Amino acid sequence: MDADISSLKTANGNEARHEIVRAAAEVFMEFGFAATSIDAVAERLGATKGRIYHYYGSKAELYFDVQIAAMERLLREIEPIAQGEGNAAERLEAMALRHATILMEDLPMQKVAVRGLERELLGAVAARHAKTLRSIIRLRDDYEQIFAEVVDAGIRDGLFVDLPPRLATKPFFGALNWLTVWYVPRRLQKPEDVAEIARTLTGFAMRGILKGAQP
Amino acid sequence: MDADISSLKTANGNEARHEIVRAAAEVFMEFGFAATSIDAVAERLGATKGRIYHYYGSKAELYFDVQIAAMERLLREIEPIAQGEGNAAERLEAMALRHATILMEDLPMQKVAVRGLERELLGAVAARHAKTLRSIIRLRDDYEQIFAEVVDAGIRDGLFVDLPPRLATKPFFGALNWLTVWYVPRRLQKPEDVAEIARTLTGFAMRGILKGAQP
DNA sequence: TTGTCAACATACCGATCAGTATGTAGCCTC
DNA sequence: GAGGCTACATACTGATCGGTATGTTGACAA
């Protein structure tokens, strides 16, 4: 958001921050926000609190950064597909496929992001970080909006079932995002299996939204 | 599980426990397990810790009871439908419709149950309550099994897409269960809207799993 | 009318943990 | 080679919270 005076220092700082974010994502994924201690994140880093608090002002700020990193990757990869070529069905399918794949590739980050700001935060540190909270909710809304627009186009073209776009995207996301609940990465055998799962889920979601031929 | 010597005492005890479970479900839903304090649950009850610890030995035990109550309601209502009449597609549709409706009707309990035992527990109090944990996982597996069997029947009958039943049920549940993430109950206007949402989600999920007519 | 027990409330303890304050080792600069 | 700064580590504090120990009150029993 504000990295501009980039020099060696800033670059190193960004890399150091990113290491912390990755470790934090893993621990947050395992235990959730409240049950994750900064000491546990530090331990996973092979370091101590000092290192983390040198780069982050609070646990909430670190948690937010995980979410932002996850959302930014999704936005960065999916938006071009949405604006690309093909009819609404083709674009939506490509978006879903990429979306599901990213969830599995970046599971820790994405799992944290998908579970979202689950109230655990709103009640607690809401006021302090109200501005950051808004911007994350904004990111999420923007992302859903990208899908909603393609869905809307598909509905207008008569390709998709006749539903309010915002409502149609809910089960669509559900079929895909649910994998963050059940998917457990196995050692080895990964690259093709991930693609296979992504195709299966995408196929399901597309059938759910496409206007069928039978009455 | 062990309520047998039922007398006035046991009956009152069960009712008292159920009140606690309801309040606990609301607070757990809002803040999650770790961020929910027993004092917060007591406050929602208009009571103090003493009341809760009179009936429950620990916070984990209370949390488990919420999950058990939620799973038991689902099992109790959906199993008869699965064993009922109709072909696989008709039964699965009725099950999905009822499932989605229950999620919305009992949102606090069901939201807690859907989010499940999210590791926040496994790491922490796992050993102490290993037995209870197993039985809850068992309940969840049993429930998914009910769906998997109907799905399997539908696949064998050529009604559903040709996928491993366990894999096909994932996005099916996803489309439905995802509502626990986005659904926010509004005052008034409820009874028919809930049914409408349930029908929409069920329709999506059924299209996702039905073998389409177009190639 | 006194004992008993369920059904709580109150008071307290010990552990955990976010955040802070204070070091300190290395590098860079001049 | 002295000051300064970055990138941490270490030590500490204050607050929260799960659990327990100890009341207290009313109903019922005998």
Side-chain angles (χ1 to χ4, degrees):
Chain A
M1 283 297 185
D2 47 22
D4 282 315
I5 323 173
S6 51
S7 68
L8 273 169
K9 253 175 288 177
T10 308
N12 288 344
N14 281 345
E15 182 46 39
R17 281 173 70 101
H18 198 251
E19 256 187 79
I20 295 172
V21 164
R22 271 199 309 253
E26 290 178 21
V27 188
F28 281 138
M29 173 181 78
E30 271 187 71
F31 302 103
F33 175 78
T36 293
S37 71
I38 293 289
D39 289 293
V41 176
E43 195 180 343
R44 176 129 344 180
L45 275 169
T48 68
K49 287 167 103 138
R51 172 133 169 231
I52 294 170
Y53 277 104
H54 181 67
Y55 293 96
Y56 287 96
S58 71
K59 182 168 125 175
E61 197 183 307
L62 175 55
Y63 190 73
F64 293 151
D65 222 31
V66 173
Q67 306 232 13
I68 291 173
M71 293 303 304
E72 281 182 345
R73 162 136 198 227
L74 287 177
L75 278 164
R76 178 164 17 95
E77 294 217 27
I78 267 64
E79 196 163 26
I81 305 178
Q83 318 270 300
E85 48 188 33
N87 67 24
E90 289 161 349
R91 280 179 291 148
L92 187 62
E93 181 163 5
M95 289 160 69
L97 196 65
R98 196 82 204 92
H99 175 85
T101 306
I102 292 173
L103 290 197
M104 287 183 277
E105 282 177 0
D106 274 353
L107 195 65
M109 265 180 20
Q110 297 295 340
K111 205 161 166 176
V112 169
V114 159
R115 289 178 56 172
L117 310 176
E118 306 284 350
R119 314 293 168 181
E120 352 189 295
L121 286 185
L122 294 187
V125 239
R128 284 268 160 247
H129 304 267
K131 196 158 264 177
T132 312
L133 264 173
R134 287 285 168 198
S135 80
I136 291 178
I137 292 172
R138 177 75 181 277
L139 274 178
R140 189 182 298 286
D141 284 350
D142 286 353
Y143 189 64
E144 191 176 336
Q145 183 60 26
I146 295 174
F147 279 81
E149 279 168 14
V150 177
V151 167
D152 192 38
I155 293 172
R156 284 200 313 270
D157 293 351
L159 295 169
F160 298 159
V161 293
D162 201 13
L163 288 173
R166 281 284 173 179
L167 181 53
T169 57
K170 300 299 186 193
F172 191 87
F173 272 128
L176 303 176
N177 289 347
W178 193 245
L179 77 83
T180 59
V181 172
W182 57 265
Y183 174 67
V184 180
R186 311 280 177 192
R187 350 269 152 210
L188 307 171
Q189 62 147 39
K190 275 200 281 188
E192 193 46 35
D193 285 350
V194 165
E196 169 77 18
I197 292 175
R199 277 196 301 271
T200 301
L201 299 183
T202 299
F204 186 100
M206 289 307 294
R207 282 192 301 278
I209 207 167
L210 282 169
K211 185 169 282 182
Q214 77 280 49
Chain B
M1 283 293 186
D2 47 21
D4 281 315
I5 324 171
S6 51
S7 67
L8 272 168
K9 252 174 287 177
T10 308
N12 287 344
N14 280 346
E15 182 45 41
R17 281 172 70 100
H18 198 251
E19 256 186 82
I20 295 172
V21 165
R22 271 198 309 253
E26 291 178 20
V27 188
F28 281 137
M29 173 181 78
E30 272 186 72
F31 303 104
F33 176 78
T36 293
S37 71
I38 293 289
D39 289 294
V41 176
E43 194 180 344
R44 176 132 343 182
L45 275 169
T48 68
K49 288 168 102 142
R51 173 133 168 230
I52 293 171
Y53 278 103
H54 181 68
Y55 292 97
Y56 288 95
S58 70
K59 182 169 125 176
E61 198 183 307
L62 175 56
Y63 189 73
F64 294 151
D65 222 30
V66 173
Q67 304 231 17
I68 291 172
M71 293 303 304
E72 280 182 345
R73 163 138 198 224
L74 287 176
L75 278 164
R76 178 164 17 96
E77 295 217 27
I78 267 63
E79 196 164 27
I81 304 178
Q83 318 271 299
E85 50 189 34
N87 66 24
E90 289 161 349
R91 280 179 291 148
L92 187 62
E93 180 162 5
M95 289 161 69
L97 195 65
R98 195 82 203 93
H99 175 86
T101 305
I102 292 173
L103 291 196
M104 287 183 277
E105 282 177 2
D106 274 353
L107 194 64
M109 266 180 17
Q110 298 296 340
K111 204 161 166 176
V112 169
V114 160
R115 288 178 56 171
L117 310 178
E118 308 282 351
R119 314 292 168 181
E120 354 189 291
L121 287 185
L122 294 188
V125 239
R128 284 265 159 247
H129 304 268
K131 198 158 262 176
T132 313
L133 264 172
R134 288 282 168 201
S135 80
I136 292 179
I137 292 171
R138 177 76 182 277
L139 275 178
R140 189 182 297 285
D141 285 349
D142 286 352
Y143 188 64
E144 191 176 336
Q145 183 60 25
I146 295 175
F147 279 81
E149 279 168 13
V150 177
V151 167
D152 192 38
I155 292 172
R156 285 198 314 270
D157 293 350
L159 294 169
F160 298 160
V161 292
D162 200 12
L163 287 172
R166 283 283 174 180
L167 181 54
T169 56
K170 299 300 187 191
F172 191 87
F173 271 128
L176 302 176
N177 288 348
W178 194 245
L179 78 81
T180 59
V181 172
W182 58 264
Y183 174 67
V184 181
R186 311 281 177 190
R187 352 270 150 211
L188 309 170
Q189 63 150 37
K190 273 200 282 189
E192 193 47 33
D193 285 348
V194 166
E196 169 78 17
I197 292 174
R199 276 197 301 272
T200 301
L201 299 184
T202 299
F204 185 100
M206 289 307 295
R207 281 192 301 277
I209 207 167
L210 281 169
K211 184 168 280 180
Q214 75 279 47

